[in-house]
Amino acid sequence: MKNATITGWGACIPQPVVTNEELASVVDTSDEWITTRSGIKERHVSHVQNSDMATLAGKRALAAAGLDASDIDYVIVATCTPDRQIPSTACYVQIKLGAVNAAAADINAGCTGFIYGLSMAHGLIATGTASRVLLIGSERITAYLDLEVRTTAVLFGDGAGAVVVEATDQPVGIQSMTLGSDGAGAASLTATGLGTEFIGTDARLAVVMDGSDVFKNAVVRMGDSTITATEMAGWTADEIDLVIPHQANVRIIDAVRRRLKADESKVFVNIHKYGNTSAATIPIALSEALAEGRIKPNDKLVLVAFGAGFTWGAAAFTWGDRVEPISTIDDELPEPTTTGLDIMVQRQVAFQS
Ligand code: UT7
């Protein structure tokens, strides 16, 4: 049976930024509240479609792996904010990339989507169904935010991250995975106004959340998942070189870190720059950790997430020898023609009127 490892990585962060202070001019909140309760200082707001961000992150990951789009057997996009319900965002990415030999499908496991996607890539490779999977976590979740729902409007941001998962005979890559779900938590984190359930109703488009229920569950499930994946891999907690957790709240991340008795250098945090980009947080963080030299050859990593559903999961992962991209590309998103705050406000007016 083949092992599955990551050979390419990349991210796409849309240029428009909205700081907490700017957001506080249109949402009943303050920089002080957002910073102390969540750790977020700013977020990016996309001026392009989700599939455009996903495609650019995918191109960067392909370049880092030294591959052509035609080398890919399967494109998986983990997202809960697709361009359209039908077809999948993965099919838009497939054609925009020119991944002419690839199957394509989306997966929605909320903020755990990337970890679930990684388990799919692992299975596809282990069974020989695919040798090279392009796995992208990509979200345009600011499009779902109602600025009058301040408990969620301040927490989320847009972005994409991608990895190339390849078959290998080396003892590297995914060492173990643990996944779980509990649909009893469905109402605690959900989006209203979209989906067949809402046809013919006047429900507003909004992400709504019981913050403290999600918080409590996230702390327990992310901590448990990290420990389970570590034990399944035959590691002890102090052997972990770097935990790359889902970035939903710096206090959740800190609680997981304390449970592992790990010091701050062993847990990657970038939530202050992007907010919660849902399924995109882990591949964005992974790309940044590599760019910053935080991952060394053969490091032991744990990737862990919790999200809507509820869903949760973790992967214990041994990095390979290469921590530098094989090549890079110069492509960028088009220049935005308006500010991030204007994008959010205009959308509010258009969707909620
Ligand atoms: O990716 C997985 C999904 N998301 C998460 O994992 C997020 C999990 N939850 C959280 O991160 C936290 O629960 C929040 C950051 C959402 C909230 O933090 P909290 O410390 O649990 O605050 P709270 O919900 O208990 O609210 C405390 C107060 C309330 O006021 P009162 O009742 O004490 O007067 C809220 O009305 O803060 C108020 N509040 C706000 N104030 C200013 C809630 N949202 C805001 C806001 N700005 N945006």
Side-chain angles (χ1 to χ4, degrees):
M1 205 170 77
K2 295 281 187 187
N3 292 324
T5 196
I6 293 174
T7 58
W9 54 90
C12 171
I13 309 296
Q15 299 92 319
V17 181
V18 177
T19 64
N20 289 348
E21 287 88 354
E22 287 176 300
L23 202 54
S25 69
V26 295
V27 176
D28 179 18
T29 190
S30 65
D31 172 46
E32 199 264 335
W33 192 93
I34 304 169
T35 305
T36 55
R37 300 289 176 137
S38 73
I40 297 164
K41 294 299 289 182
E42 58 189 33
R43 73 285 296 140
H44 290 247
V45 175
S46 187
H47 58 300
V48 297
Q49 297 300 334
N50 184 341
S51 62
D52 295 321
M53 292 188 288
T55 299
L56 185 50
K59 280 186 185 173
R60 289 175 172 156
L62 286 169
L67 294 176
D68 188 79
S70 61
D71 296 324
I72 295 298
D73 303 316
Y74 212 121
V75 177
I76 302 172
V77 176
T79 190
C80 51
T81 53
D83 289 16
R84 297 187 180 202
Q85 285 299 322
I86 303 171
S88 68
T89 300
C91 279
Y92 289 116
V93 173
Q94 181 272 331
I95 196 69
K96 288 177 185 180
L97 283 174
V100 291
N101 297 310
D106 287 359
I107 176 163
N108 176 356
C111 297
T112 319
F114 182 80
I115 297 291
Y116 270 60
L118 196 61
S119 77
M120 285 174 63
H122 191 198
L124 289 164
I125 286 170
T127 55
T129 307
S131 301
R132 288 165 173 157
V133 178
L134 180 62
L135 169 61
I136 305 170
S138 187
E139 301 281 12
R140 196 180 178 198
I141 196 162
T142 62
Y144 283 17
L145 301 177
D146 182 342
L147 300 181
E148 289 178 21
V149 182
R150 66 177 182 170
T151 44
T152 55
V154 302
L155 296 180
F156 293 93
D158 300 335
V163 294
V164 174
V165 187
E166 281 198 70
T168 179
D169 293 319
Q170 303 298 311
V172 296
I174 297 166
Q175 305 297 307
S176 70
M177 290 207 72
T178 176
L179 302 169
S181 71
D182 180 6
S188 292
L189 178 49
T190 187
T192 55
L194 274 181
T196 52
E197 187 185 334
F198 297 102
I199 293 171
T201 75
D202 56 3
R204 285 167 71 105
L205 179 60
V207 177
V208 289
M209 178 170 72
D210 176 343
S212 73
D213 189 41
V214 177
F215 191 101
K216 280 183 268 180
N217 277 279
V219 167
V220 172
R221 298 300 190 183
M222 285 177 65
D224 287 353
S225 299
T226 303
I227 289 165
T228 302
T230 304
E231 287 176 356
M232 285 167 70
W235 305 345
T236 59
D238 56 6
E239 283 182 291
I240 302 169
D241 294 296
L242 189 65
V243 178
I244 301 185
H246 171 50
Q247 312 279 315
N249 188 317
V250 76
R251 293 185 293 136
I252 296 174
I253 295 171
D254 212 46
V256 173
R257 180 185 67 74
R258 278 185 268 115
R259 184 149 166 216
L260 294 173
K261 301 186 176 61
D263 69 50
E264 287 180 3
S265 67
K266 292 208 166 183
V267 181
F268 193 83
V269 178
N270 64 0
I271 190 173
H272 51 290
K273 294 192 283 186
Y274 308 121
N276 181 350
T277 58
S278 186
T281 64
I282 291 178
I284 292 172
L286 181 69
S287 298
E288 283 199 1
L290 284 153
E292 292 172 14
R294 297 276 299 273
I295 297 175
K296 306 275 186 291
N298 306 312
D299 265 2
K300 291 181 169 64
L301 312 180
V302 174
L303 317 179
V304 59
F306 177 86
F310 295 138
T311 56
W312 58 87
F317 194 101
T318 303
W319 198 259
D321 289 333
R322 184 168 54 80
V323 290
E324 299 287 340
I326 289 178
S327 71
T328 57
I329 54 166
D330 295 330
D331 301 34
E332 296 290 346
L333 293 178
E335 282 299 316
T337 55
T338 180
T339 68
L341 192 64
D342 279 346
I343 296 170
M344 292 182 88
V345 170
Q346 283 163 14
R347 189 176 295 127
Q348 177 86 3
V349 171
F351 282 5
Q352 311 295 12
S353 56

